[in-house]
Amino acid sequence: MTASFNVPDSISFGELENLAAERAAEESSAKQARIGLEPTQDNINEAADRALNYALEICEDPMVHKVMMLEILNNMVDWHTRIGQSLIEDDHNGCGVAWLRDGGKLQAMMTILLSIEIGKNDWITE
């Protein structure tokens, strides 16, 4: 089955501008809905708590939190590495090295977490 579309023979510039404005408003509204609350301490804590609880609703096993922790730590290592390298490139060597060292601390946290067995479903710990 093919879909049928009513394609006009022509469209005025004004109509095109209106369509573009409507689309921009829809995208702005959708973005605001995704963004949600202002990034205050309370809202950030609530978002993290909701995400953790939702993960357990999807899969009721503590491994879901271990995997989340590893993913988050990996993101933080990448973030600290990018910032550190950027600072060094901008001749802020001391600050850049500090960021890279903190990235190393996050890597150490990952190493420790990898050594902790969570339970029978832990396929990560050797």
Side-chain angles (χ1 to χ4, degrees):
M1 173 183 256
T2 59
S4 63
F5 297 99
N6 186 10
V7 179
D9 293 331
S10 64
I11 187 167
S12 72
F13 186 71
E15 290 173 314
L16 188 58
E17 284 182 318
N18 287 340
L19 287 173
E22 287 174 14
R23 179 66 180 167
E26 289 172 6
E27 288 177 358
S28 176
S29 176
K31 181 179 180 184
Q32 187 62 34
R34 283 192 312 272
I35 293 173
L37 304 172
E38 292 294 316
T40 64
Q41 182 177 348
D42 287 341
N43 291 339
I44 290 169
N45 286 332
E46 183 176 343
D49 188 52
R50 283 186 186 180
L52 291 171
N53 289 330
Y54 184 63
L56 281 176
E57 288 176 19
I58 294 170
C59 182
E60 195 172 332
D61 189 292
M63 272 304 291
V64 73
H65 283 171
K66 181 175 183 175
V67 170
M68 289 173 76
M69 289 171 65
L70 290 168
E71 290 291 331
I72 291 166
L73 286 168
N74 191 53
N75 288 343
M76 296 298 291
V77 168
D78 289 345
W79 168 256
H80 278 74
T81 301
R82 282 194 311 271
I83 296 296
Q85 290 171 337
S86 176
L87 286 166
I88 290 170
E89 288 171 6
D90 293 339
D91 290 327
H92 300 289
N93 293 337
C95 290
V97 169
W99 276 81
L100 293 173
R101 285 182 180 153
D102 286 345
K105 293 174 189 175
L106 291 162
Q107 285 178 322
M109 291 170 65
M110 289 177 68
T111 300
I112 292 168
L113 183 56
L114 288 169
S115 72
I116 300 170
E117 185 174 331
I118 300 300
K120 63 181 173 148
N121 291 334
D122 190 342
W123 66 91
I124 297 172
T125 303
E126 296 180 9

